[in-house]
Amino acid sequence: MIQLGYFTLDTLDIAKAKAFYGALFGWTFDEGAGHASYADVANSDPAFGFTKVERISSAASLYFRVDDIAAMCARVTELGGKAAVPSQSPSGLSAVVCDDQGLSFSLWQPAAGY
């Protein structure tokens, strides 16, 4: 069964998001997993964080954990959706896809240890 692997929330300012949500919910952040455009919420399940963007969207970005991202991207296309070429990050491979009605979500094939 495919499950939600992680999700991100958009922010214009990573430092402000960390300060606000840290104070509001007591969240801490994994500094080793973050960088200038991403803050990882420590010890969260499912994993999630904040992504720096130029414009805020009104929805979270959902990443569904998969074992074979290439096969899943091909399956999305077979079913009438669209799939971007997967991109590499320290946490693994991810690809933005959309269903046959245009709803976007992402697929994530985690790197070893995730």
Side-chain angles (χ1 to χ4, degrees), residues 2-81:
I2 301 297
Q3 296 181 347
L4 184 63
Y6 72 95
F7 66 95
T8 61
L9 301 173
D10 291 349
T11 185
L12 298 174
D13 186 310
I14 293 289
K16 281 185 167 183
K18 288 168 62 176
F20 179 88
Y21 288 97
L24 181 65
F25 296 128
W27 293 345
T28 58
F29 297 86
D30 182 349
E31 299 303 328
H35 48 78
S37 62
Y38 180 75
D40 185 70
V41 177
N43 304 313
S44 58
D45 186 21
F48 74 99
F50 293 89
T51 301
K52 184 179 181 338
V53 296
E54 296 298 318
R55 183 173 45 101
I56 297 287
S57 72
S58 61
S61 297
L62 302 177
Y63 293 77
F64 292 95
R65 185 181 186 128
V66 299
D67 293 328
D68 185 341
I69 200 164
M72 291 299 288
C73 286
R75 185 72 177 136
V76 165
T77 302
E78 288 170 12
L79 294 170

